[in-house]
Amino acid sequence: MPRFFSNSSLYGWDAPEAQLRSVRKACALLTAVSLTLSVLCGILPTGVARHNWVGFAGTASLVAAMLMIIAVVRFSMAKSHLDYRTFHSIHWMMDYAPLFHAVLMTVALIAGIVSCFQAFTGALDVLTLLFFLAAAVSSLLMRKTYRSLHTYTMKEQDS
């Protein structure tokens, strides 16, 4: 049974509309770059992509990338004043989904480096490792861009 939550405060992002629009565009672009690089890491025909730990971390990172996409879409469509649950669900996803993606990409990178030491198959291995690193960096940049926005809480005035 759902709990009743009686918080009538409104929440939002404390920034001019132009800054909010540019942050939304930057987050969408960085999410697209991160997702594209993640997918490329999986489809490049390399020995790195066949390593079990690389495959596990890479596949799990796609779940985090999907959360990033959902978060960016919800953030882009959000109104200026939101209730507690809506705001915090967007805020949590915008804050932590890129972090989870970056961590999983880093795990895939480390496992890929180990895989290269075990059986190096060529220049595509190095390119795949660079894509893992670039995907992690773009996710962290997306998180940093979002966190540059300040949030606010507006208490409902008593009548």
Side-chain angles (χ1 to χ4, degrees):
M1 183 162 173
R3 292 184 308 165
F4 177 71
F5 190 72
S6 65
N7 183 350
S8 58
S9 298
L10 296 175
Y11 300 83
W13 296 274
D14 189 21
E17 188 60 35
Q19 180 188 3
L20 200 53
R21 197 171 325 129
S22 70
V23 167
R24 285 176 175 158
K25 286 180 184 177
C27 287
L29 177 67
L30 289 167
T31 298
V33 167
S34 191
L35 178 66
T36 302
L37 290 171
S38 296
V39 170
L40 280 175
C41 288
I43 63 173
L44 285 176
T46 68
V48 169
R50 286 185 232 115
H51 192 272
N52 287 339
W53 280 101
V54 174
F56 169 73
T59 303
S61 74
L62 290 176
V63 174
M66 292 301 129
L67 282 175
M68 285 171 53
I69 291 169
I70 293 168
V72 166
V73 168
R74 289 186 68 199
F75 175 56
S76 296
M77 296 174 54
K79 298 175 185 174
S80 59
H81 307 299
L82 301 169
D83 64 273
Y84 177 85
R85 287 180 191 246
T86 305
F87 174 78
H88 283 287
S89 68
I90 294 170
H91 185 66
W92 185 90
M93 285 181 11
M94 289 293 289
D95 199 20
Y96 290 107
L99 181 63
F100 294 153
H101 185 262
V103 166
L104 289 166
M105 282 282 108
T106 304
V107 169
L109 174 65
I110 293 168
I113 291 170
V114 169
S115 173
C116 282
F117 281 122
Q118 291 174 347
F120 185 71
T121 59
L124 273 179
D125 286 355
V126 175
L127 182 64
T128 303
L129 295 177
L130 290 174
F131 283 172
F132 282 134
L133 180 63
V137 168
S138 67
S139 292
L140 290 175
L141 283 174
M142 185 268 203
R143 184 174 191 247
K144 182 180 179 184
T145 302
Y146 173 74
R147 289 180 69 132
S148 70
L149 292 176
H150 297 286
T151 61
Y152 71 86
T153 304
M154 185 169 60
K155 301 282 184 195
E156 184 180 39
Q157 297 177 357
D158 295 330
S159 303

